[in-house]
Amino acid sequence: MNKRPPEDATRTAHASSGGQRHHGVVTTPVYHASTVRFRNVTALRDERNTEVTYGRKGTPTTFAVQEAIAELEGADGCIVFPSGVSAITTALIALLDSGDHLLMVDTAYKPTRDFSDKLLSTMGVETTYYGAGEDIRYYLRPNTRAVFLESPGSQTMEMLDIPTIVEAAHSHGASTIIDNTWATPLYCKPLNMGVDVCIHSVTKYISGHSDLMMGAVSANGKVLERIRTNASQLGLCTAPDDCYLAMRGLRTLAARLERHSRTAHTLATWLADRPEVGRVLYPALPDAPGHDIWKRNYTGATGLLSVLLEPVPDAQVVAMLDGFRYFGLGYSWGGFESLALPIPKQARPHTPWPGDGPIVRFHVGLEDPDDLLADLKAGFTRLNGADGLHGRSSS
Ligand SMILES: *Cc1c(COP(=O)(O)O)cnc(C)c1O
């Protein structure tokens, strides 16, 4: 018997494999269900029944993707949600009560901040913010019950020193919760670094094909059960077709990420040498901000990066973005296609904005790298020619 623990690529290929449970069919089929008929009254009354009991509580299709993500995270269990945002909000509600304080990094995804500032606040939880790179001990209060991390930060890519933050939070008696979407369960394992709750927007790389919305929360022990109870009380359930698609995406995650990562490195290195670029915000580049932390705590970098341009009028950035052949304009990321997004400057009291120029975020897809480089190159030609000074202003 081969006792070697499997690597992640092997896990993604074999996790929650159907075995003989579904007539030998390799992929867990889509179970559409509301009612589930029980064999007898004893089975119906069995409260410890963890099998299929009612559609809202999940079907074998749901359980397959939950099991697979939990295995990759090294967690007791995983719960899937109808979106990444619902995964985040449900986990926060489970960890916090009225009168508690939540300490959140101010580079967190905007809808996460909005929920905390608005809905969570009406529930009696106060949220304050720490800066990426700051010592959180300065911000902990006697009633701080949870510390929220997101690394790298949304859009400006600041890395967080996860083990240091976890240690400070835990010695204060606070739980830690991380949005790990950028790294995926393959490139960072926060639970192994002591984080209590790890969240993914499955919408991004795990699904990988830009055609579904889903979130996942992985945790251990009592925390996991509390989140499961809350999800159930809120009536959240994830569609079986989407679970099937997420599972299908997960099977190829390791191979896709290798490609995203390789092309992103190529493009990031090329971008860093362009005169129009002030700084490439991609932690895998040796001189990027947060590179040391990335090297220590992450095993890879995915295909999402931001570029801080030298200051230019907005019209020039628009000329660049409007003319791309392959980089589509759109929200989300993690799919097979490349995307570009202009990033508006945001108010963040604790983390300095990386510079004065505009920021464009790129998602590097699965296209041929040379085609993407040619697209970027043509983009810079438009950027340089659109200010009217060169007599080629677009009308
Ligand atoms: C997209 C995203 C989310 C939200 O996920 P949805 O599936 O769109 O609800 C949360 N966190 C990060 C970092 C994201 O990029």
Side-chain angles (χ1 to χ4, degrees):
M1 177 78 182
N2 171 10
K3 287 280 174 57
R4 189 178 188 280
E7 299 294 335
D8 279 347
T10 310
R11 289 187 199 277
T12 53
H14 288 269
S16 58
S17 150
Q20 289 308 308
R21 275 179 288 179
H22 310 289
H23 310 278
V25 169
V26 172
T27 304
T28 304
V30 182
Y31 283 86
H32 283 280
S34 55
T35 297
V36 176
R37 279 161 66 159
F38 295 87
R39 275 189 313 281
N40 53 37
V41 174
T42 308
L44 185 142
R45 285 177 176 163
D46 180 6
E47 284 180 3
R48 284 167 311 169
N49 187 348
T50 54
E51 296 301 304
V52 186
T53 54
Y54 183 53
R56 179 161 23 85
K57 310 231 162 167
T59 71
T61 322
T62 328
F63 301 151
V65 68
Q66 291 182 157
E67 257 175 57
I69 295 174
E71 181 178 338
L72 289 164
E73 293 282 5
D76 286 354
C78 165
I79 307 159
V80 293
F81 289 84
S83 68
V85 167
S86 60
I88 292 166
T89 57
T90 308
L92 284 172
I93 292 171
L95 293 178
L96 294 153
D97 285 323
S98 177
D100 289 343
H101 170 240
L102 166 65
L103 182 59
M104 177 173 288
V105 66
D106 71 357
T107 50
Y109 185 61
K110 182 132 187 317
T112 306
R113 295 182 57 136
D114 289 346
F115 171 76
S116 307
D117 292 338
K118 292 167 189 155
L119 252 175
L120 214 45
S121 152
T122 66
M123 297 161 89
V125 174
E126 188 185 358
T127 303
T128 64
Y129 294 89
Y130 66 97
E134 285 188 318
D135 185 341
I136 67 156
R137 285 177 299 185
Y138 184 74
Y139 297 99
L140 293 168
R141 300 178 181 184
N143 62 338
T144 306
R145 279 274 301 279
V147 177
F148 193 98
L149 304 83
E150 181 178 327
S151 180
S154 260
Q155 303 174 331
T156 45
M157 311 293 283
E158 294 84 357
M159 299 300 295
L160 297 183
D161 186 339
I162 300 169
T164 303
I165 293 172
V166 168
E167 216 226 294
H170 283 178
S171 53
H172 191 76
S175 302
T176 47
I177 169 169
I178 191 168
D179 183 332
N180 193 33
T181 303
W182 179 82
T184 83
L186 298 200
Y187 289 170
C188 180
K189 311 243 184 225
L191 297 186
N192 291 352
M193 290 185 253
V195 173
D196 300 289
V197 179
C198 179
I199 297 174
H200 290 279
S201 167
V202 175
T203 309
K204 310 293 164 54
Y205 282 114
I206 296 177
S207 94
H209 295 75
S210 309
D211 53 3
L212 68 92
M213 303 296 303
M214 196 186 296
V217 177
S218 298
N220 295 320
K222 284 195 184 121
V223 175
L224 174 70
E225 289 323 310
R226 218 177 313 143
I227 297 167
R228 199 191 301 284
T229 302
N230 276 41
S232 170
Q233 289 183 2
L234 287 164
L236 297 169
C237 68
T238 309
D241 289 293
D242 289 346
C243 291
Y244 176 87
L245 286 173
M247 193 66 219
R248 167 174 275 220
L250 190 75
R251 294 288 184 220
T252 58
L253 181 62
R256 285 186 288 110
L257 283 186
E258 267 182 41
R259 170 80 177 207
H260 284 295
S261 182
R262 197 161 1 106
T263 311
H265 275 81
T266 304
L267 266 53
T269 307
W270 183 86
L271 283 161
D273 279 341
R274 291 290 307 194
E276 301 87 347
V277 170
R279 190 143 213 202
V280 177
L281 308 171
Y282 185 56
L285 288 189
D287 56 356
H291 176 71
D292 291 345
I293 293 177
W294 173 78
K295 219 168 145 184
R296 188 165 11 106
N297 295 335
Y298 290 68
T299 54
T302 56
L304 190 75
L305 57 99
S306 288
V307 174
L308 172 70
L309 297 170
E310 294 292 352
V312 278
D314 185 54
Q316 293 181 234
V317 180
V318 171
M320 173 173 165
L321 292 175
D322 271 347
F324 280 130
R325 182 169 176 193
Y326 301 117
F327 286 93
L329 281 173
Y331 293 108
S332 199
W333 42 278
F336 46 84
E337 82 289 26
S338 290
L339 296 168
L341 193 71
I343 301 298
K345 197 164 179 162
Q346 279 165 30
R348 301 191 308 200
H350 299 285
T351 311
W353 198 253
D356 293 331
I359 292 181
V360 176
R361 188 183 76 182
F362 291 99
H363 176 249
V364 178
L366 299 176
E367 299 93 337
D368 181 89
D370 289 334
D371 285 335
L372 294 179
L373 278 174
D375 212 17
L376 288 178
K377 209 167 164 188
F380 282 118
T381 304
R382 287 190 302 279
L383 181 138
N384 288 321
D387 60 0
L389 297 175
H390 308 298
R392 288 200 283 124
S393 88
S394 53
S395 49

